[in-house]
Amino acid sequence: MVAVITLLPVIMIGLILVFFMTRNKSFRRQTSRIPLKYMLSAYVGILLLSLVTYYMIGQSEEVAGREIESSVESEDFDLHQKIFNRQFDEIDDKYYFGQEKIGLDSDELSIRFADQNMDTYSYNIVVTKDPDVKGEIIIDYYRVPFSINGIDISEEFEAADMRYDNGEIIVNNLTRDYVNLEFAEFQMPIPGSQFSDDRSNRDWNFNFQSGGDFYHIQIPENTQLNYDPNVPIYEFEN
Amino acid sequence: MSLTNVSTANIIKKQYIHKMTSYRDAWKSLIITQLIALAISSFSTGGGTTSGDFYSINVTNYSVDVVFFFTVFWAFIASFLVTTNSYTYEDFSYVSNRTTSAVSAILFVASITTIAAIFTMLSSYFIFMVMYLTQDVNILYGSNTIGDFSEILSSFAAVWGYLLLASSVGYIIGALVQISRIFSLVIPVLIFLPGFMNVQVPILTDVVTFFTTETSVMMFTMKVLITAILLFMLGWLLSAKKEVRTW
């Protein structure tokens, strides 16, 4: 947008020059060789061809993200607070991204990170010892949408992969690989957006909201939990 | 004494057709303006980049906004020029008076503005196709279409409304300048001086807010139509006060 605003005066000066040049008789004699009807027909033809092609190809299937109904401003903090206050029942469904249940055949459970590089840590793991959980591990996954211009692109980022093996949960991809994402966006015209609620989320300043991932691991009350105290695992006991 | 009876409506119709077919500069400048804007829009009209510890995101935006703004500028200039002597004198090729000349000019301006709005909306498809064919990246959800029928219709109403406003403002300013050349100095000063001096003119802000904050298409169309009709009528009254043509 800034580039456009910068270019506008230059283009306008150019247009004024073109106007005066076309008003000049000698210049007009040269340009008048192209009859107006041909210019108009060619231009309308190009526009109509674009219209026909657009409806022939249909909608693009290479679409990223999904629409976010409401703003996610400050919701990262909201979710964080509810998780660490153990108010799991009060967490909005929009943050809930799934559950995994794993059979537990041991009184002891270790949680180990496959990658020990904590510099780019981006997950929170919360463990609750729950008397209602018997012989299994329940993993609930919560996520604050990672959004660009009101579109949730969280799915572009891999979730952590948790594997249980012989009394041990191995967490893979805890440190995210560097992701380089590129998107194209077609926006409705500025004047039209004043009537639209659905697509009025266009933002001249590039609206961006980073998310956060939370894993809530519930294990039986009598299970002995082992983990490296230097890694971001938070343990609650009922 | 002439034996031929001609009605005012008939003269207006003839002059309107004459203007539509002979004002080639208006048509050519519309096409050139939109072609330049389309060329600029084809290289995207903005976007943004953000990065963190583990990600880098780049979004390239495409829209018809540049075409729209250029066309608004064109509508203003084209309507202004219609009021100049070089154009109005052409009406004297027919039996004419100030009223028929002004009414046919207003009809001409309204017609080319409507066509310009249609071209602007059609430009969306061209820009979308450029984005679709040149960008080898995912398209963000919701922007993989130009919009459904109601969105296209409301966008058209908005584009047409602002173009009509620009042309009616151009017409009234043109009429004022034809009354007295002093307006060609006074009007730009009144419009641009507050901006240069960083002074807010409440009435100007109110006028802009009056149109841009309207969220109902019907209300917006009514506001635009009433304002444009008033401005065109004022321009017509002003041009009717001009003296007869001097040879």
Side-chain angles (χ1 to χ4, degrees):
Chain A
M1 198 60 204
V2 175
V4 174
I5 291 166
T6 316
L7 273 172
L8 271 175
V10 180
I11 301 302
M12 283 181 178
I13 290 164
L15 285 173
I16 291 162
L17 283 174
V18 167
F19 170 73
F20 280 112
M21 282 168 77
T22 50
R23 297 295 292 173
N24 180 292
K25 283 180 182 174
S26 59
F27 190 85
R28 191 189 290 180
R29 264 200 302 276
Q30 288 171 0
T31 55
S32 64
R33 285 174 188 168
I34 306 170
L36 176 65
K37 63 179 176 182
Y38 292 137
M39 276 179 78
L40 208 55
S41 305
Y43 185 54
V44 172
I46 291 166
L47 296 179
L48 288 178
L49 185 68
S50 306
L51 171 86
V52 171
T53 316
Y54 171 81
Y55 285 109
M56 276 175 69
I57 60 163
Q59 290 188 6
S60 168
E61 289 175 4
E62 295 173 343
V63 182
R66 60 196 179 89
E67 199 167 14
I68 294 173
E69 286 180 8
S70 60
S71 166
V72 291
E73 292 290 332
S74 306
E75 289 180 0
D76 189 6
F77 175 73
D78 182 44
L79 178 62
H80 192 274
Q81 207 174 27
K82 280 184 175 151
I83 283 175
F84 285 95
N85 288 335
R86 302 166 68 191
Q87 297 167 312
F88 295 105
D89 293 340
E90 292 175 27
I91 294 172
D92 197 308
D93 284 345
K94 66 185 172 186
Y95 298 122
Y96 188 68
F97 272 77
Q99 187 182 67
E100 193 179 349
K101 288 183 178 179
I102 301 166
L104 180 65
D105 49 13
S106 165
D107 290 341
E108 202 168 319
L109 178 69
S110 300
I111 300 177
R112 183 168 67 82
F113 292 164
D115 188 342
Q116 292 298 321
N117 178 12
M118 303 309 295
D119 292 344
T120 55
Y121 142 78
S122 57
Y123 298 91
N124 293 286
I125 295 175
V126 175
V127 184
T128 304
K129 285 184 175 175
D130 191 337
D132 296 335
V133 176
K134 308 279 183 197
E136 63 178 354
I137 305 165
I138 302 170
I139 305 170
D140 286 325
Y141 176 32
Y142 302 95
R143 177 183 251 185
V144 173
F146 196 113
S147 71
I148 296 287
N149 293 355
I151 303 299
D152 178 6
I153 56 162
S154 305
E155 287 173 7
E156 301 291 328
F157 299 98
E158 278 186 49
D161 173 34
M162 295 194 190
R163 287 181 189 177
Y164 176 75
D165 185 30
N166 201 19
E168 184 179 57
I169 290 179
I170 302 163
V171 186
N172 280 304
N173 190 30
L174 188 78
T175 53
R176 281 169 164 163
D177 292 331
Y178 195 84
V179 181
N180 197 359
L181 297 170
E182 289 202 24
F183 302 108
E185 185 176 32
F186 188 84
Q187 297 179 318
M188 70 187 306
I190 293 174
S193 61
Q194 81 184 65
F195 305 128
S196 170
D197 292 329
D198 300 334
R199 295 179 74 179
S200 60
N201 49 24
R202 61 182 299 168
D203 195 305
W204 312 117
N205 300 317
F206 184 61
N207 185 341
F208 158 74
Q209 168 80 31
S210 65
D213 289 19
F214 299 87
Y215 292 90
H216 180 214
I217 301 175
Q218 296 157 79
I219 56 174
E221 194 178 24
N222 57 354
T223 306
Q224 172 66 42
L225 184 66
N226 304 313
Y227 57 90
D228 181 349
N230 297 318
V231 297
I233 292 177
Y234 307 93
E235 186 182 351
F236 295 128
E237 282 193 32
N238 264 338
Chain B
M1 183 181 162
S2 172
L3 297 173
T4 311
N5 281 325
V6 283
S7 68
T8 306
N10 203 22
I11 294 168
I12 291 170
K13 184 185 163 191
K14 279 184 178 173
Q15 285 184 350
Y16 169 73
I17 292 166
H18 170 74
K19 284 179 167 71
M20 288 292 279
T21 52
S22 67
Y23 284 10
R24 289 162 187 272
D25 286 347
W27 293 107
K28 279 186 180 176
S29 58
L30 169 65
I31 295 169
I32 291 165
T33 304
Q34 291 208 338
L35 282 175
I36 293 168
L38 280 175
I40 294 167
S41 303
S42 299
F43 294 101
S44 99
T45 51
T49 303
T50 184
S51 59
D53 289 334
F54 61 93
Y55 61 86
S56 165
I57 299 166
N58 182 44
V59 179
T60 310
N61 290 339
Y62 289 83
S63 76
V64 77
D65 291 344
V66 177
V67 181
F68 167 69
F69 284 122
F70 274 42
T71 311
V72 166
F73 181 70
W74 165 86
F76 177 84
I77 298 291
S79 309
F80 180 89
L81 290 175
V82 162
T83 62
T84 57
N85 287 338
S86 56
Y87 282 92
T88 50
Y89 283 177
E90 284 188 28
D91 292 339
F92 292 102
S93 314
Y94 298 89
V95 175
S96 179
N97 58 31
R98 293 287 182 202
T99 301
T100 58
S101 177
V103 171
S104 60
I106 290 165
L107 288 174
F108 167 70
V109 165
S111 301
I112 55 168
T113 301
T114 306
I115 290 166
I118 294 168
F119 283 1
T120 306
M121 289 309 295
L122 286 174
S123 301
S124 304
Y125 295 98
F126 180 84
I127 297 164
F128 185 91
M129 289 314 299
V130 168
M131 178 188 81
Y132 185 84
L133 296 171
T134 60
Q135 286 289 324
D136 191 22
V137 295
N138 281 353
I139 297 171
L140 272 186
Y141 175 84
S143 60
N144 59 323
T145 62
I146 286 176
D148 56 29
F149 183 70
S150 64
E151 282 179 327
I152 292 170
L153 210 62
S154 62
S155 290
F156 173 77
V159 167
W160 175 77
Y162 286 113
L163 287 179
L164 194 67
L165 277 177
S167 59
S168 59
V169 171
Y171 188 82
I172 186 82
I173 291 175
L176 283 168
V177 170
Q178 292 308 308
I179 296 284
S180 171
R181 295 286 170 192
I182 200 151
F183 284 111
S184 58
L185 287 172
V186 173
I187 292 167
V189 167
L190 282 175
I191 294 171
F192 294 112
L193 196 64
F196 283 126
M197 294 178 72
N198 210 12
V199 175
Q200 278 211 333
V201 182
I203 191 162
L204 217 59
T205 316
D206 291 344
V207 168
V208 172
T209 311
F210 179 68
F211 295 107
T212 55
T213 55
E214 181 54 64
T215 52
S216 157
V217 181
M218 281 300 283
M219 279 303 292
F220 174 81
T221 311
M222 290 301 290
K223 283 178 177 181
V224 164
L225 272 176
I226 291 167
T227 311
I229 287 168
L230 286 174
L231 288 173
F232 279 131
M233 279 180 73
L234 200 61
W236 169 17
L237 289 172
L238 288 170
S239 60
K241 286 186 181 299
K242 280 170 70 180
E243 290 176 10
V244 292
R245 179 182 175 180
T246 50
W247 295 87

